[in-house]
Amino acid sequence: MWGLMLSQATSIPWLFCLIRSYSNTSLSTGSVSLTKSENGCEWIGGEAEKELAEFYPKDAEGAMPIAYIWARTIQCEGPGCGAEVPVTRSLWLARKGNRCVALQLIPQKSRKCIDLRIIVKQRDSWVDQAEPHARIDNPRFEGTAKRGSVTCPCCGYTTPVTSVRRQLKKRNGGANDAKLLCVVRMRPNQAGRIFQLPQSFDIEAINRAAEELRRREHHHKGRLSLVPDESLPVMSGVFNAPIYGHNTWGSLFTPRQSLALSTLARLISEAAGKLEKEIADKELVTAVQTCLGFNFSRVADLSNSLCGWKLDVQCPTHLFARQAIPMTWDFAESVCISQSSGSWSVMTERFASILLNIGADWSVGHVQQSSATNHPLPDGSAIAFITDPPYYNAVPYADLSDFFYVWFRRMLGDKYPELFATSLTPKDEEACQMAGWDAVRYAHKDSKWFEQQMGRALSEGRRVLNPRGIGTVVFAHKSTVGWEALLQALIDAGWIITASWPIDTEMDTRLRARDSAALASSVHLVCRPRENPDGSIRTDEVGDWRDILQELPRRIQEWMPRLAEEGVVGADAIFACLGPALEIFSRYSKVEKASGQTVSLREYLEHVWAAVAKEALATVFEGADASGFEEDARLTAMWLWTLFAGQTGANGSDNDEAEEEESEETDSKQSGYVLEYDAARKIAQGLGAHLESLPSLVEIKGETATLLSVAERTRRLFGREDAASPTKAQKKKKAQLQLGFVSELEQAEEAGSWGSKGVPPQGVTVLDRVHQSMILFAAGRAEALRRFLVDEGVGRDERFWRLAQVLSYLYPSASEERRWIDGVLARKKGLGF
Ligand SMILES: C[S@@+](CC[C@H](N)C(=O)[O-])C[C@H]1O[C@@H](n2cnc3c(N)ncnc32)[C@H](O)[C@@H]1O
Ligand SMILES: [Zn+2]
């Protein structure tokens, strides 16, 4: 990605010159000459339409296609069956408000195939779209594929994932001969999509496109193939499509997509001739072409066989919603000559609006590509060093960027010979921990190697920076272990960390937002060189451990309120405190205890976490003395604050579609609140609590720690510890019903015989008792709740209500827990407290 990013940076200022000189109206009116210019995007769009329109036919009423929905197919391996089965995850086509449309698979045993029908919801029933009077009872919405294996609608046999893989592998992933399930069209000047079963002219157009592609490939004379034939590596866990036979970059596209993209790529190359007639400056022409190339990249991101279909907006989704190349069984093909998502014209408009938003008031700089570990700048020459470094094995950037690079090289390789010298992006110098993904190419790139490279890059940054200069290092990750290694590298490289600020740099996409412990923003560390007057790194200053430990809590106390004022709370605040905390430590080349023993950064960070946790807890309890509560209450409060403070409506999905699509994933996930184990351990430690000693509250599994939901605590809280653990099926059912704990409560009631008149046994801690009352409320046991709070005197403990209040603030607003705790609080007055 480096090459692309650098060239982007070089060309944008040029583009502004172009916009300024060629715009008919001023920038402030919002009109962009780039889109209107005879020579730029519009010319390409027009030419593409002339060449490609016949391959995207309108229907008899003149409705234009905006997308096609496909499924790869396999042959059922059931005994004697052999039906061609479309591999789909879901049969939904549209799902938003009242608009519900879906496909139905109609098995044709004798013909060994599956026919299709489109059904639509009318009020409470489903009907066949083609025969609206024909009611469809019990429609099915789940597709044929589940976790990679495929169940045949004709015979019910499930072809296992290994066979599915083998079959698709033989057919290069199966995008080329996928089955067209549905065509989505729009009528001129009408909103709303029309879903149609494929008609013969649709299939003919697809065949003609494949033929045309073959013809062009045959006549193609370029040095590089028309459609990228460079290889696409298997990288276990991140590049899964190659496991199914997608082993060239070109294989990710259907023949019609390849035809469309290779047409656009050629037109972008040819645009130079057109542009040169109007623009004398050749570099400016290249700059414009480069922008057209970026536009192309965005079209390609939305025009490949790994694009999904979004049910609410009814548009294709782009491949790089995740930084991976995952397999997608059923996919949506956008129409590059339409006016809809994924088209050339829509992308052009977006691109132009980005440029307009950046504004035109900036100066031209010089950009050069180099490895961060070997900088071309002389010592002390830069006034600022700003880096957003890679992070362990978070993203395989260079391999991913090949998706764009191979096309770029075809379009503009001759304009940037040094950037496109190799057939794929250079990867030797890429700092990333990749051994686990690809032990063949990257055996040496383990975490140690990554840390070494990062150390080198940070030293280089320190070397090129002027002693009075400033550095910024972006961190956007949640693993605390990773933080420690990188911070150590920063200190070792001669930097003093002076501040840290979280900045919203990430789009709040669904995939990311679901990630329970993710930071809401990237933390920007601000640093300065630790220098002697002669510019060498200072290595003689020894810090006194006692002084540092005294200064630390004061510093955190100053910062937390300042952060809160800026709206920085929760996990973001914890990480944002690291900067000021580290300043105290990193101003010395080493820190020693009275015994002369050197203090490691790791040891110091344990103290930082403790100080931060303590201060955060004081914030949560708003001055009330948190020390009156047992460790479980303090830990619960901090845990929820870390995850949810500053978020609104967290934890509840507001999107049915998301739930439907991801039901498979959520099934296997436990409920409760998940944190990375190491972060949870540090928070607990800071509060003087120990995760391992709280098994009735926290479940630890591998790298994660889960704060159990209140419902999950039912058995433990009501004295049924001896009961057998629920089976997997029971657990699943419980999750579905949400109220499964009620039956557990009933069993406990019987076992403890406190049913109609008795009183539930009191939990040991205040938190236990608050949770018990929440469960009684949730189960509708108003009388038992009254006896518990009033007769037993649980409600007379002031701490009970204080904790309830705090939890009401901390539980996510859409959660069951929030509803229950508010229910208990609402009874406070009525019960006389
Ligand atoms: C976190 S990303 C930066 C993302 C960028 N700030 C953005 O918003 O698009 C880290 C980048 O560092 C690049 N990188 C990795 N090793 C490098 C090296 N040795 N020299 C220069 N860049 C490197 C990766 O390829 C990746 O593009
Ligand atoms: Zn079958």
Side-chain angles (χ1 to χ4, degrees), residues 1-2 5 370-373 388-390 397-398 429-431:
M1 223 162 253
W2 335 343
M5 301 211 327
S370 80
S371 172
T373 53
D388 178 6
Y397 288 104
E429 304 280 321
E430 188 189 16

Side-chain angles (χ1 to χ4, degrees), residues 26 132 139 160 204 330 355 445 462 824:
S26 77
E204 281 155 21
D330 36 2
L355 293 171
K445 293 198 175 188
R462 165 56 197 67
V824 173

Side-chain angles (χ1 to χ4, degrees), residues 85-99:
V85 182
V87 186
T88 59
R89 280 169 309 166
S90 147
L91 299 176
W92 284 102
L93 292 172
R95 210 170 155 196
K96 192 188 183 191
N98 293 332
R99 176 108 164 115

Side-chain angles (χ1 to χ4, degrees), residues 123-140:
R123 277 178 226 100
D124 287 333
S125 52
W126 286 87
V127 297
D128 187 334
Q129 181 176 257
E131 296 169 54
H133 51 275
R135 244 176 86 136
I136 309 288
D137 293 324
N138 305 321
R140 291 179 63 104

Side-chain angles (χ1 to χ4, degrees), residues 16-292:
F16 280 117
C17 304
L18 175 87
I19 292 173
R20 275 198 226 118
S21 3
Y22 290 85
S23 163
N24 297 329
T25 34
S26 77
L27 275 174
S28 58
T29 65
S31 154
V32 189
S33 64
L34 182 71
T35 56
K36 303 275 178 268
S37 164
E38 279 293 292
N39 298 310
C41 289
E42 198 153 278
W43 175 77
I44 290 177
E47 291 300 303
E49 179 155 7
K50 277 188 228 158
E51 279 189 42
L52 299 171
E54 63 168 306
F55 304 112
Y56 303 96
K58 295 178 182 169
D59 71 1
E61 272 128 63
M64 246 315 262
I66 60 146
Y68 296 80
I69 296 177
W70 298 80
R72 292 158 210 275
T73 62
I74 60 144
Q75 200 175 21
C76 170
E77 295 185 1
C81 182
E84 186 198 65
V85 182
V87 186
T88 59
R89 280 169 309 166
S90 147
L91 299 176
W92 284 102
L93 292 172
R95 210 170 155 196
K96 192 188 183 191
N98 293 332
R99 176 108 164 115
C100 290
V101 186
L103 279 166
Q104 294 291 282
L105 305 179
I106 307 162
Q108 299 295 348
K109 275 193 188 176
S110 55
R111 286 195 281 121
K112 295 188 185 304
C113 67
I114 317 286
D115 283 348
L116 300 164
R117 170 193 286 153
I118 293 175
I119 58 168
V120 291
K121 195 170 178 188
Q122 283 183 355
R123 277 178 226 100
D124 287 333
S125 52
W126 286 87
V127 297
D128 187 334
Q129 181 176 257
E131 296 169 54
H133 51 275
R135 244 176 86 136
I136 309 288
D137 293 324
N138 305 321
R140 291 179 63 104
F141 302 109
E142 65 272 27
T144 54
K146 199 154 198 189
R147 299 204 171 94
S149 54
V150 177
T151 303
C152 171
C154 287
C155 73
Y157 179 83
T158 299
T159 302
V161 60
T162 43
S163 305
V164 172
R165 210 171 267 177
R166 181 175 34 76
Q167 287 199 31
L168 291 178
K169 208 167 178 171
K170 275 197 207 145
R171 288 153 46 211
N172 277 108
N176 279 351
D177 55 2
K179 181 180 170 78
L180 181 62
L181 302 180
C182 176
V183 185
V184 189
R185 288 195 160 85
M186 280 180 83
R187 289 196 212 294
N189 307 322
Q190 268 183 34
R193 272 86 167 123
I194 316 166
F195 294 90
Q196 299 171 329
L197 291 178
Q199 300 171 60
S200 55
F201 62 84
D202 290 315
I203 306 292
E204 281 155 21
I206 290 161
N207 293 339
R208 273 204 314 280
E211 249 167 61
E212 175 62 12
L213 178 69
R214 274 196 297 276
R215 193 187 66 76
R216 290 191 190 187
E217 282 184 313
H218 183 71
H219 290 101
H220 177 67
K221 294 214 169 49
R223 193 167 51 89
L224 302 172
S225 60
L226 186 71
V227 178
D229 58 357
E230 290 84 350
S231 61
L232 169 53
V234 176
M235 290 173 76
S236 111
V238 273
F239 279 34
N240 284 347
I243 298 175
Y244 297 86
H246 277 298
N247 37 34
T248 65
W249 286 103
S251 74
L252 296 181
F253 307 96
T254 67
R256 183 163 57 185
Q257 288 174 327
S258 294
L259 178 69
L261 290 175
S262 58
T263 302
L264 288 174
R266 194 197 72 238
L267 290 170
I268 290 169
S269 285
E270 288 174 3
K274 283 267 161 194
L275 290 163
E276 276 161 12
K277 288 194 188 132
E278 267 196 44
I279 308 170
D281 185 335
K282 282 222 157 102
E283 282 195 58
L284 191 50
V285 170
T286 303
V288 177
Q289 271 187 295
T290 307
C291 289
L292 298 174

